[in-house]
Amino acid sequence: MIEVSGLSLQRGSRTVLDGLGFALAPGQCMALLGANGVGKTTLLSALNGTLAPAGGRLAVAGRTALVPQLFEAPFSYSAFDIALMGRARHLGLFGAPGRRDFDIVRHFMDMLGIAGLADRPFNALSGGQRQLVIIAQALASECDLLILDEPCAALDYRNQDKVLALLARLRAEHGLTIVFSTHMPQHAVEVASHVLLL
C-alpha cells in the first residue's frame, strides 16, 4: 500500500524530512507522533499526492482521501453537500450525484452520528461537528487510504472516542489502510498497528 525509502520533503527552501523510510501494508494503521513543526502534516501531504518529494521514493497504491485539521467552506453549503463532495471522483467532469451517491453519504453520516446535521449550514457548525462532516466526506469517497491530520484535535472526549472507534472498525471490518497524525500517544496505542515518531 505504502512504500517509502530515502524520502526527502521540503517546504520552500527548507528540508523538513530527509532519509525517511517505512512500509505499510493494506489494512494497517499508522500513527504519526511528534512535536509541532517536525513534518507530520508535510508527510501527510506527500502521501496524499499534494506535495512532491524532493528526493527518494514514495509509492502509494490506491485512492487516497485527506481529512485536514481545519476546513471552512467558501460558500454557504449544507453539511450534507460538503459530505457529498466526497463522491466527486466517481461522477466524472459533468456528472451529477445520483441515488447511490446520496445513500452512501447518508450511510456515513449515520455511522458518525451526524445525520441530524445534514441540512445545517456547514460554517455554522462547531469545530468538532465540522471535523465529523469532513470525515464523512472522506469515507464517502470510498478511498483505499484514509489520511487524517490530527482528527481528534477539535473534538470533545465523547467524539474522540467515536472517531477512534470508527477508525478501528474501518480497519478491522473493511480493511481500510489509515495514517493519522496525533499529539496524543494514547490514541496511537488504542488504534494504530504501527507508530512513526518524527
Side-chain angles (χ1 to χ4, degrees), residues 37-169:
V38 297
K40 298 187 301 296
T41 298
T42 299
L43 177 56
L44 295 180
S45 297
L47 293 175
N48 191 45
T50 55
L51 177 66
R57 181 173 183 270
L58 169 62
V60 177
R63 297 173 297 198
T64 66
L66 174 67
V67 177
Q69 283 187 51
L70 299 171
F71 179 83
E72 186 163 332
F75 302 104
S76 182
Y77 292 109
S78 70
F80 188 88
D81 288 338
I82 293 291
L84 185 62
M85 291 176 189
R87 299 298 302 160
R89 70 164 43 131
H90 300 281
L91 302 180
L93 185 58
F94 298 107
R99 181 175 178 176
R100 180 173 182 271
D101 302 299
F102 287 96
D103 288 345
I104 287 170
V105 171
R106 288 190 192 99
H107 167 74
F108 286 114
M109 291 188 79
D110 283 341
M111 182 184 289
L112 287 165
I114 55 172
L117 304 178
D119 295 327
R120 290 180 56 186
F122 178 80
N123 287 338
L125 301 178
S126 70
Q129 290 170 331
R130 291 185 199 185
Q131 188 76 333
L132 293 171
V133 172
I134 297 302
I135 291 173
Q137 179 192 84
L139 295 175
S141 75
E142 296 182 303
C143 59
D144 303 298
L145 171 62
L146 180 62
I147 302 168
L148 306 102
D149 194 359
E150 296 190 38
C152 295
L155 303 181
D156 58 29
Y157 289 120
R158 182 175 61 85
N159 282 320
Q160 287 182 28
D161 287 342
K162 182 186 296 185
V163 169
L164 293 172
L166 176 66
L167 296 182
R169 177 180 169 191

